[in-house]
Amino acid sequence: VLRGRRLDHQNPRRSTLGHDFATVGVDLVREIRLQVDLAARQLQRLDDLVDFRNAIVHGSDRLMRQIEQEGTAKADLRSYLRFRRALEGLAREMDVMVPQTLAGRLGIDAPW
């Protein structure tokens, strides 16, 4: 299952997580969207954060300014806290959804 895992060499965005979880039979993005609308927004925040991080790492002043002007992200404490809350919430949703989905597919009790 670890062979071909995209998280080993790609950014942890929605598509990467979706691909990797699909290898164990979990349509992560679909399942998260079915949980609550908030989780779908949290997935979007993950992609937003990756885009902003990439702009910073690659030194793209133009893209950083564009992202900040759109209000998607900003290099300040408020933005950091907003991203942190979203990602912590997404992790909590995944921690509930993944074992439930696996249990349903395997016909067993939730593994955690």
Side-chain angles (χ1 to χ4, degrees), residues 24-26 31 96-111:
V24 293
V26 176
E31 294 292 335
V96 170
M97 184 276 303
V98 169
Q100 288 175 348
T101 302
L102 288 173
R105 296 243 181 357
L106 299 172
I108 62 171
D109 290 334

Side-chain angles (χ1 to χ4, degrees), residues 61-91:
D61 293 334
R62 180 195 58 77
L63 187 53
M64 283 187 284
R65 278 192 306 275
Q66 177 185 338
I67 291 170
E68 286 184 340
Q69 287 172 354
E70 291 171 352
T72 305
K74 193 172 182 178
D76 64 7
L77 180 60
R78 184 174 180 216
S79 186
Y80 161 78
L81 292 172
R82 192 174 67 218
F83 277 114
R84 183 173 173 159
R85 280 190 303 273
L87 296 179
E88 286 173 346
L90 179 59

Side-chain angles (χ1 to χ4, degrees), residues 14-34:
R14 171 186 0 203
S15 59
T16 305
L17 293 172
H19 172 272
D20 287 356
F21 276 86
T23 63
V24 293
V26 176
D27 187 344
L28 181 75
V29 175
R30 182 180 152 280
E31 294 292 335
I32 284 177
R33 286 184 177 153
L34 291 174

Side-chain angles (χ1 to χ4, degrees), residues 10 47 91:
Q10 292 183 1
D47 283 354

